[in-house]
Amino acid sequence: MSLDYVKFSNGFEKFMPKEYRDMVEHGPFGKKVTVSQMGSFKEVLEEHPMCAGCAMTLFIRLAMIAFPNPEDTITVGTAGCGRLAISQAAIPFVYGNYGDQNGVASGLSRGLRLRFGDKPKDVVVMAGDGGTADIGFQQVLHSWFRKERFTTIMLDNEVYGNTGGQESGMTNRGAVLKMAPLGKKFEKMDMLQMAKVAGCAYVATVVPNNPRRVESVIKKAVLIAREVGSTYIQAYTSCNIEYAIPTDKVMEDAKTVENDRYQFTEYVSDEAKQYLTERYGYKEFLPQPAAAIPNKA
Ligand SMILES: Cc1ncc(C[n+]2csc(CCOP(=O)(O)OP(=O)(O)O)c2C)c(N)n1
Ligand code: SF4
């Protein structure tokens, strides 16, 4: 996709549905929009069939606002709740078999580079914790070892939400779920460490109740994946149905979980730091001036 496609063909404007006209006129394509401006532009994702109050949907909306070039982005997903929303967005979406997403994204990202050369086409995988850490685990890990240049986002609700509450590798030890009534017997998988060992250039954790942080993390991950290598974001996106979180307490839960066991962490490789600084003007990785030593006279 490019901006050439996000406009009306001559003479067709009046025949296009209002939704499409609104997207061309008030959407984010070709503009720089931020999460602070939510409500003042048309988002690429507005309607979805997910449960009321689902934190995953808020996270997906924020992530899509943060894409540096939504008009040149393709999302890849798989079975699970998230694809119900991702597939409704005005961004092309590729749906693979359950767990295939990082294999599909590898081929897609390589194909796009051959076809479009230097013009960036960003590939972003968004899949559940089951799709990423269980069924798709082998493909995820190998895409990282191969340093495939796309972003993998785990929508970590710590359960198989879409199929009614089985435990996943990312469920916490001891958690009792509808279809894990005796409680999970093993620890939550440390996918962050695995991502680092496998050579990801950027690894971060986020929760959706801090929109600016979500925005910053997604932007960095997508930009780094353009040229440096694989990037991984693990987002806590609670399942209010399977964990019985009242709808009006979803953000409170996110805050508690963030403080308790999902603190913000960010790893940026030296190569990625240099790239973000030189190519995109990031200042946060520049050497900080030494703090002045207090005069003891
Ligand atoms: C090959 C295959 N096996 C099983 C399923 C059934 N299935 C659909 S979604 C899902 C679980 C999804 O859990 P997760 O990936 O954690 O995403 P969530 O729904 O929690 O967002 C399963 C087992 C399937 N669609 N395809
Ligand atoms: S089942 Fe859970 S993760 Fe799935 S849409 Fe509902 S609240 Fe969200």
Side-chain angles (χ1 to χ4, degrees):
M1 200 143 101
S2 84
L3 281 181
D4 288 343
Y5 297 103
V6 195
K7 66 182 189 192
F8 305 112
S9 301
N10 275 345
F12 274 83
E13 181 176 347
K14 60 178 186 265
F15 300 109
M16 297 307 283
K18 183 172 179 341
E19 273 293 299
Y20 188 86
R21 277 188 274 130
D22 283 350
M23 188 52 76
V24 173
E25 283 159 12
H26 308 295
F29 302 123
K31 300 169 198 153
K32 295 271 175 258
V33 295
T34 66
V35 295
S36 325
Q37 295 166 307
M38 269 173 108
S40 69
F41 60 94
K42 187 170 171 69
E43 292 175 46
V44 290
L45 173 60
E46 285 190 328
E47 292 183 7
H48 58 79
M50 292 177 70
C51 302
C54 177
M56 193 182 287
T57 327
L58 171 62
F59 176 83
I60 294 168
R61 280 175 66 193
L62 295 172
M64 289 185 165
I65 293 172
F67 288 164
N69 290 53
E71 64 280 4
D72 284 303
T73 303
I74 299 178
T75 53
V76 181
T78 192
C81 286
R83 52 84 204 235
L84 298 170
I86 302 164
S87 58
Q88 305 291 314
I91 288 183
F93 171 67
V94 181
Y95 182 68
N97 278 330
Y98 192 36
D100 275 0
Q101 65 279 359
N102 279 51
V104 171
S106 299
L108 178 64
S109 131
R110 288 176 183 221
L112 290 169
R113 280 167 213 281
L114 286 174
R115 168 69 180 79
F116 293 99
D118 290 341
K119 184 167 175 38
K121 296 281 176 185
D122 299 319
V123 174
V124 179
V125 170
M126 282 198 253
D129 43 301
T132 308
D134 297 345
I135 318 291
F137 182 64
Q138 174 262 111
Q139 298 200 23
V140 169
L141 231 62
H142 275 273
S143 71
W144 291 345
F145 277 118
R146 291 194 307 269
K147 302 203 180 336
E148 299 286 353
R149 286 174 287 164
F150 61 85
T151 298
T152 304
I153 302 175
M154 180 200 282
L155 305 165
D156 183 14
N157 59 2
E158 307 183 319
V159 64
Y160 287 18
N162 201 217
T163 40
Q166 297 82 8
E167 69 180 43
S168 84
M170 300 299 285
T171 303
N172 288 289
R173 184 177 182 152
V176 173
L177 297 160
K178 259 197 272 170
M179 297 206 206
L182 299 180
K184 189 184 173 199
K185 296 201 170 34
F186 309 100
E187 298 298 332
K188 183 178 174 88
M189 288 167 69
D190 190 350
M191 285 294 285
L192 299 166
Q193 196 55 29
M194 283 188 247
K196 288 180 207 163
V197 169
C200 284
Y202 182 83
V203 179
T205 42
V206 271
V207 296
N209 56 324
N210 189 336
R212 288 219 180 117
R213 183 173 285 158
V214 173
E215 179 173 52
S216 147
V217 158
I218 299 277
K219 268 200 195 339
K220 281 185 251 186
V222 173
L223 293 176
I224 291 169
R226 276 185 191 168
E227 289 192 35
V228 183
S230 308
T231 58
Y232 173 58
I233 295 171
Q234 193 174 297
Y236 174 70
T237 54
S238 67
C239 175
N240 43 319
I241 297 298
E242 296 306 334
Y243 280 91
I245 307 165
T247 308
D248 60 346
K249 298 275 187 276
V250 167
M251 285 299 114
E252 211 175 298
D253 164 78
K255 190 76 208 142
T256 309
V257 171
E258 180 183 33
N259 290 336
D260 186 26
R261 60 186 171 76
Y262 230 98
Q263 285 90 358
F264 171 61
T265 56
E266 187 180 53
Y267 159 79
V268 194
S269 74
D270 289 342
E271 188 187 355
K273 283 181 189 165
Q274 188 181 353
Y275 163 80
L276 283 184
T277 308
E278 290 174 3
R279 182 68 66 88
Y280 293 103
Y282 276 71
K283 299 212 171 16
E284 62 190 88
F285 306 115
L286 290 171
Q288 299 300 310
I293 300 167
N295 190 345
K296 287 197 179 154

